[in-house]
């Protein structure tokens, strides 16, 4: 369904007008935000992308949506070279891909009412009659747990979580084949998070919705996603089934990333906080080589030892 | 990766010029009493915060949880008087060190904001000015409140960003917000809030865009500031892991009101209000390691603030609701033994009640 091949996105920083050195890269002139990423997502699959803050997840998502021009690499959507599309064909394919962005406020037009915002994709793509559109908008707002009374409100009149759900309703209203969701539930309360997870799971089952899900919320990833890719400094370091990643993480970075999810239990957390102090600082260097299949469907970046004790990279 | 020692205490120059509010503060640093904030809209006035009361002791953390849209952010903004039109604080007192913030003049309030009470806003990327360099935004507060010259403020800014675990902190100071990732922006906001060493920190979802590792680093830093400098916090979060980690007290809000309030352990292990009980069941579902077909949720939808249900606001969704619940609006009452400090707003818990709250 979606195939990404050796995708690179480097930001070149101009030094003009900067005091001292360019942003981020102290003595480099380039940030390798996405640095040679390849993976495929099957139809109806939900695929999670996790990783430390700043590892390039959002940048990768923006490339997939063609909001950023990748430095190099290829993206195939439904077998077509997505980066080569243009004009009517591009519009046609775009309708099938929708997105929820990390910053819901920044992505909603402040001068449009909620009803208009959710309806807009249907209008752009000439879908349905006026009445059908209104019905669909109402239904979706209901599905994400919003009241129809909120139809006439404006984004700034809503709470953070309400805005996030408006963005989600807007993305789902055209019944896309692929949903790229960057932290779509992070500012929702747990009960509504559970409701959205249930909703996405239903859409996946009934409409074969494919999902590229980016999140720091590991408990949610565990429930929702079929496979997980772990990203580190612009590369994928481990890629396997969700269960495998949580129960048998092989790459040291994955272990670091997954360990110590705060539990909803004050006594455990108090003990945990004491232990955190004793934990050694993180490993400085990571092995970021090519992915190798070390067990069936379990890919790990080269240069680490498997559980059975020999170096996989010799 | 940066090799900064995160356990080093924050080194600040003590500023002599800080405006002290009258009174030494007493037991409670912050007391919110019967706060009511409304929004005037076409549908009438929406009581986003309706009769909210709580106290926070110096050096303690109050966690605020509750459904999306229940008024948590507006409560935080009301304390700092940052609710703009059509919103308005219409009732109540906000006592900070025994001074009623609602009575201060604008310029007095500006001195409190950022210096003595700082806030980390929800939605980090929108809270930063897109046209200004991170560094320039960071040093503003230090220059204004602490009288730092540009150079030392800049240096302090770099140090703070390093402690937030930002790689290449010096370079980040020269970047614009769009050049940073969501989690990096969030850490910049946390650093900005801590820059002037506030006494009270209102943190609205401060760790949502962070991975577990970075989140733990921030929580450790806050814990350290709490024990070493008696930093007092109001922590608004949906993440029950974060609340369990930092909160000493928890207030559960529903439809603009506090419905349950007590010590963290009491709320987590012995929740009393039907809403809290269901919310925690949903938390247990999400945190469970077993994959479920359907996750438990609090059934029904959040009431619209414009059309609140009669009687108890939770009654349309409450499995324990009875006829009385549709008619009588319950008060927040203390339950359990005297001194247990556990308050609940529910008619069916009144058999165990002791006395009303905030008297
Ligand atoms: N427009 C840009 N110009 C320069 N650098 C950028 C730009 N956008 C992103 N970056 C850099 O690319 C890197 C990856 O950023 P990205 O937003 O993809 O991270 P992320 O994985 O989404 O992190 P988070 O979890 O914090 O959202 C960061 O170092 C960031 O500073
Ligand atoms: N400018 C405004 N005009 C009208 N109503 C508003 C305005 N700002 C907020 N509200 C309403 O006030 C209520 C409380 O909002 P608030 O932002 O405090 O929620 P919250 O508890 O922080 O939710 P979240 O967890 O989603 O951030 C919401 O129902 C919202 O719709
Ligand atoms: S007062 Fe009645 S409706 Fe309200 S929470 Fe208690 S039992 Fe439920
Ligand atoms: Mg991101
Ligand atoms: Mg909020």
């Amino acid at each position: 369904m979606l195939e990404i091949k050796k995708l690179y996105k480097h930001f070149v920083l101009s030094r003009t007008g900067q005091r001292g050195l360019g942003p981020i890269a102290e003595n480099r002139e380039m940030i390798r935000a996405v640095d040679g990423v390849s993976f495929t997502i099957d139809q109806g699959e939900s695929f999670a992308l996790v990783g430390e803050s700043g590892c390039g997840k959002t940048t990768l998502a923006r490339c997939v949506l063609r909001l950023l021009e990748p430095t190099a690499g290829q993206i195939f959507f439904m077998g077509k070279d997505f980066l080569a599309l243009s004009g009517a064909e591009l519009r046609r394919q775009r309708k099938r891909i929708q997105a929820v962005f990390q910053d819901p406020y920044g992505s909603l037009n402040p001068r449009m009412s909620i009803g208009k915002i959710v309806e807009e994709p249907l209008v752009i793509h000439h879908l349905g009659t006026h009445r059908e559109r209104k019905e669909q908008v109402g239904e979706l707002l209901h599905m994400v747990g919003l009241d129809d009374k909120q139809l006439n409100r404006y984004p700034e009149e809503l709470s953070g979580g309400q805005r996030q759900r408006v963005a989600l309703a807007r993305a789902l209203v055209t019944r896309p084949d692929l949903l790229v969701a960057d932290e779509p539930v992070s500012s929702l309360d747990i009960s509504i998070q559970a409701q959205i997870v249930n909703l996405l799971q239903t859409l996946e089952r009934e409409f074969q919705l494919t999902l590229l899900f980016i999140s720091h919320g590991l408990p949610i990833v565990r429930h929702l996603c079929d496979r997980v890719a772990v990203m580190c400094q612009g590369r994928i370091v481990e890629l396997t089934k969700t269960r495998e990643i949580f129960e048998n993480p092989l790459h040291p970075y994955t272990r670091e990333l997954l360990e110590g999810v705060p539990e909803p239990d004050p006594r455990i957390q108090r003990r945990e906080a004491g232990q955190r102090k004793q934990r050694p600082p993180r490993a400085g260097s990571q092995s970021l080589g090519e992915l190798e299949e070390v067990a069936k469907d379990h890919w790990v970046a080269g240069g680490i030892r498997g559980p059975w004790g020999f170096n996989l990279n010799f | 990766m940066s090799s900064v020692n995160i356990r080093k205490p924050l080194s600040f120059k003590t500023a002599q010029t800080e405006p002290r509010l009258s009174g030494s503060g007493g037991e409670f640093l912050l007391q919110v009493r019967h706060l009511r904030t409304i929004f005037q809209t076409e549908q009438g006035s929406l009581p986003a915060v309706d009769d909210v009361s709580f106290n926070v002791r110096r050096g303690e953390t109050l966690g605020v949880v509750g459904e999306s849209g229940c008024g948590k952010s507006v409560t935080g903004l009301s304390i700092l008087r940052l609710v703009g039109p059509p919103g308005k604080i219409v009732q109540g007192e906000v006592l900070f060190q025994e001074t009623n913030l609602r009575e201060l003049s604008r310029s007095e309030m500006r001195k409190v904001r950022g210096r003595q009470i700082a806030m980390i806003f929800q939605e980090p990327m929108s809270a930063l000015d897109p046209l200004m360099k991170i560094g320039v935004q960071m040093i503003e507060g230090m220059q204004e409140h602490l009288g730092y010259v540009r150079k030392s403020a800049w240096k302090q800014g770099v140090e703070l960003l390093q402690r937030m675990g930002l790689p290449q902190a010096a370079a980040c100071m020269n970047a614009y917000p769009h050049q940073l990732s969501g989690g990096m922006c969030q850490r910049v906001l946390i650093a900005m809030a801590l820059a002037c060493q506030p006494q009270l920190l209102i943190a609205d979802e401060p760790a949502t865009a962070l991975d577990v590792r970075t989140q733990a680093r921030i929580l450790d830093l806050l814990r350290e500031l709490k024990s070493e400098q008696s930093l007092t916090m109001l922590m608004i979060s949906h993440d029950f892991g974060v609340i369990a980690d930092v909160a000493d007290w928890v207030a559960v809000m529903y439809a603009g009101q506090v419905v349950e309030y007590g010590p963290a352990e009491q709320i987590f292990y012995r929740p009393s209000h039907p809403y809290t009980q269901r919310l925690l069941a949903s938390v247990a579902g999400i945190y469970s390691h077993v994959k479920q077909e359907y996750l438990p949720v609090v059934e029904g939808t959040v009431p619209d603030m414009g059309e609140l249900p009669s009687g108890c606001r939770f009654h349309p969704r409450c499995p324990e609701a009875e006829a009385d619940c549709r008619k009588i609006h319950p008060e927040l009452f203390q339950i359990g033994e005297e001194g247990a400090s556990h308050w609940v707003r529910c008619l069916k818990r009144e058999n165990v009640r002791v006395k009303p709250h905030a008297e």
Side-chain angles (χ1 to χ4, degrees):
Chain A
M1 162 108 186
L2 180 73
E3 184 176 6
I4 291 176
K5 275 191 180 162
K6 293 245 156 275
L7 195 74
Y8 291 83
K9 176 68 197 177
H10 295 173
F11 291 105
V12 180
L13 300 163
S14 65
R15 294 187 172 188
T16 41
Q18 309 270 347
R19 285 156 39 89
L21 299 162
I24 323 301
E26 252 158 351
N27 31 36
R28 282 172 294 165
E29 282 176 45
M30 220 157 47
I31 304 170
R32 297 164 168 269
V34 176
D35 204 22
V37 166
S38 310
F39 59 82
T40 35
I41 309 181
D42 296 330
Q43 177 110 33
E45 189 184 25
S46 49
F47 187 90
L49 197 57
V50 302
E52 208 180 3
S53 164
C55 68
K57 304 180 294 299
T58 301
T59 307
L60 176 63
R62 294 177 74 86
C63 289
V64 171
L65 295 165
R66 284 194 64 174
L67 294 171
L68 280 174
E69 199 60 44
T71 313
Q74 286 175 299
I75 299 171
F76 294 93
F77 178 64
M78 304 295 241
K80 294 204 180 73
D81 186 347
F82 191 54
L83 296 176
L85 296 182
S86 61
E89 182 61 17
L90 176 63
R91 265 200 304 283
R92 203 159 34 245
Q93 297 300 333
R94 255 211 180 131
K95 185 173 80 189
R96 308 170 67 178
I97 307 181
Q98 289 294 332
V100 182
F101 298 99
Q102 197 170 5
D103 183 25
Y105 197 30
S107 62
L108 300 179
N109 184 343
R111 273 179 290 280
M112 269 162 94
S113 70
I114 301 310
K116 284 270 176 309
I117 289 176
V118 178
E119 190 187 349
E120 192 185 37
L122 295 174
V123 177
I124 292 176
H125 297 296
H126 311 291
L127 296 170
T129 62
H130 184 73
R131 251 201 49 221
E132 284 166 352
R133 288 203 297 260
K134 289 278 180 276
E135 264 167 33
Q136 196 146 4
V137 169
E139 187 191 349
L140 262 157
L141 284 177
H142 183 74
M143 279 182 353
V144 296
L146 289 175
D147 212 285
D148 343 348
K149 294 186 199 83
Q150 273 145 352
L151 275 175
N152 298 325
R153 301 251 199 111
Y154 287 83
E156 62 162 24
E157 298 172 39
L158 299 182
S159 78
Q162 289 165 339
R163 278 199 282 267
Q164 205 167 34
R165 282 176 283 163
V166 170
L168 192 65
R170 176 187 159 98
L172 290 172
V173 77
T174 54
R175 297 244 183 264
D177 294 297
L178 173 68
L179 176 69
V180 178
D182 195 354
E183 297 284 358
V185 294
S186 60
S187 61
L188 300 177
D189 62 277
I190 296 282
S191 167
I192 294 172
Q193 284 193 18
Q195 201 175 320
I196 302 283
V197 169
N198 292 341
L199 169 68
L200 291 175
Q201 256 164 356
T202 313
L203 291 176
E204 211 178 292
R205 259 197 310 272
E206 289 174 12
F207 301 99
Q208 290 282 298
L209 174 74
T210 309
L211 192 62
L212 175 57
F213 190 82
I214 300 173
S215 179
H216 291 300
L218 299 172
I220 292 280
V221 167
R222 193 172 192 142
H223 281 289
L224 182 65
C225 298
D226 304 315
R227 281 194 301 153
V228 179
V230 180
M231 216 169 148
C232 172
Q233 294 173 25
R235 288 162 180 254
I236 289 181
V237 296
E238 191 160 356
L239 171 62
T240 186
K241 297 225 164 62
T242 305
R243 214 178 137 154
E244 218 18 45
I245 254 300
F246 283 100
E247 287 171 13
N248 184 26
L250 294 180
H251 199 280
Y253 176 80
T254 311
R255 290 200 199 122
E256 275 186 11
L257 193 75
L258 302 188
E259 96 179 345
V261 175
E263 292 285 328
D265 185 321
R267 282 185 206 136
I268 294 183
Q269 278 318 110
R270 206 151 306 142
R271 203 170 338 122
E272 184 56 30
Q275 282 166 2
R276 277 204 299 257
K277 291 228 161 67
Q278 270 115 52
R279 213 168 279 155
R282 70 175 324 145
S285 62
Q286 303 283 358
S287 53
L288 301 171
E290 292 291 312
L291 285 179
E292 297 166 27
E293 191 166 18
V294 298
K296 191 175 181 313
D297 294 328
H298 195 150
W299 298 78
V300 182
I304 66 145
R305 277 167 196 285
W308 45 87
F310 59 88
N311 195 318
L312 295 159
N313 199 33
F314 51 73
Chain B
M1 279 300 116
S2 62
S3 57
V4 185
N5 178 5
I6 58 164
R7 257 138 238 157
K8 196 180 121 215
L10 277 177
S11 58
F12 286 107
K13 284 187 207 131
T14 35
Q16 306 297 328
T17 52
E18 78 184 64
R20 275 267 160 228
L21 291 171
S22 61
S24 62
E27 190 190 8
F28 295 114
L29 184 72
L30 176 72
Q31 290 171 276
V32 174
R33 288 197 193 142
H34 305 294
L35 184 68
R36 189 174 151 87
T37 304
I38 60 166
F39 286 99
Q40 272 321 334
T41 68
E42 288 146 30
Q43 302 168 44
S45 66
L46 313 182
V49 175
D50 194 1
D51 194 22
V52 164
S53 305
F54 53 76
N55 300 322
V56 196
R57 271 195 203 89
R58 191 180 292 276
E60 288 194 337
T61 301
L62 171 69
V64 182
V65 299
E67 209 144 47
S68 172
C70 70
K72 303 180 298 294
S73 302
V74 175
T75 303
L77 294 169
S78 301
I79 292 172
L80 279 174
R81 282 172 46 191
L82 286 174
V83 187
K88 194 164 184 273
I89 305 171
V90 289
Q91 189 193 309
E93 289 180 327
V94 177
L95 300 179
F96 178 70
Q97 291 178 338
E98 284 161 12
T99 306
N100 188 356
L101 295 184
R102 286 196 59 202
E103 284 163 3
L104 295 187
S105 71
R106 268 164 199 250
S107 68
E108 282 170 325
M109 197 59 215
R110 243 199 327 274
K111 284 184 192 139
V112 173
R113 238 179 256 145
R115 175 69 192 93
Q116 280 160 321
I117 308 180
M119 181 153 180
I120 302 169
F121 298 96
Q122 203 177 359
E123 296 179 283
M125 291 182 209
S126 328
L128 291 167
D129 183 341
L131 301 177
M132 253 160 92
K133 280 185 189 169
I134 298 292
V136 178
Q137 302 189 47
M138 273 211 68
I139 64 172
E140 246 176 18
M142 287 186 268
Q143 286 178 313
E144 186 185 330
H145 295 299
L146 304 179
Y148 279 18
V149 295
R150 187 186 168 93
K151 208 170 151 202
S152 57
W154 196 273
K155 202 166 140 260
Q156 182 81 52
V158 174
E159 198 174 310
L160 270 163
L161 289 185
Q162 278 172 343
R163 299 207 57 204
M164 297 294 139
L166 275 177
Q168 291 137 338
C172 280
M173 293 284 279
N174 271 317
Y176 290 91
H178 79 271
Q179 295 176 310
L180 303 185
S181 79
M184 290 160 112
C185 287
Q186 195 160 42
R187 284 177 278 171
V188 166
L189 278 190
I190 301 172
M192 270 162 78
L194 293 175
C196 295
Q197 251 186 319
Q199 299 183 45
L200 174 68
L201 177 66
I202 301 173
D204 195 353
E205 301 286 357
T208 40
L210 300 177
D211 57 284
V212 169
R213 186 105 189 168
T214 313
Q215 193 175 311
R217 178 195 272 257
I218 305 287
L219 294 181
D220 285 341
L221 174 67
L222 293 178
R223 193 183 286 271
E224 190 181 297
L225 292 174
K226 193 174 146 185
S227 65
E228 285 167 14
Q229 300 171 12
S230 294
L231 176 69
T232 310
M233 275 185 284
L234 198 67
M235 173 73 78
I236 301 169
S237 181
H238 291 303
D239 188 330
F240 276 74
V242 169
I243 294 286
D245 197 280
V246 297
D248 304 295
W249 293 76
V250 175
V252 184
M253 286 184 69
Y254 187 80
Q257 299 190 315
V258 174
V259 293
E260 185 161 6
Y261 173 46
E265 298 211 349
Q266 190 79 19
I267 304 287
F268 273 93
Y269 303 134
R270 287 174 296 278
S272 171
H273 195 281
Y275 172 64
T276 317
Q277 289 171 348
R278 265 147 210 85
L279 188 62
L280 284 170
S282 169
V283 172
I286 285 204
Y287 279 87
S288 94
H289 291 182
V290 188
K291 191 167 169 151
Q292 284 145 324
E293 269 297 286
Y294 265 97
L295 294 170
V297 300
V298 185
E299 293 297 335
T301 46
V302 195
D304 186 73
M305 290 289 187
E307 272 171 55
L308 287 170
S310 60
C312 171
R313 292 181 185 177
F314 189 54
H315 89 248
R317 305 171 71 184
C318 182
E320 294 181 42
E322 287 176 356
D324 270 356
C325 302
R326 270 180 283 271
K327 288 178 250 149
I328 306 168
H329 181 75
E331 295 288 310
L332 192 59
F333 266 96
Q334 188 173 11
I335 60 160
E337 289 139 41
E338 184 74 56
S341 315
H342 189 173
W343 288 270
V344 177
R345 193 187 284 279
C346 170
L347 295 172
K348 298 204 47 196
R349 303 291 186 266
E350 290 207 335
N351 52 339
V352 280
R353 77 191 198 182
V354 182
K355 64 174 187 223
H357 183 59
E359 291 311 321

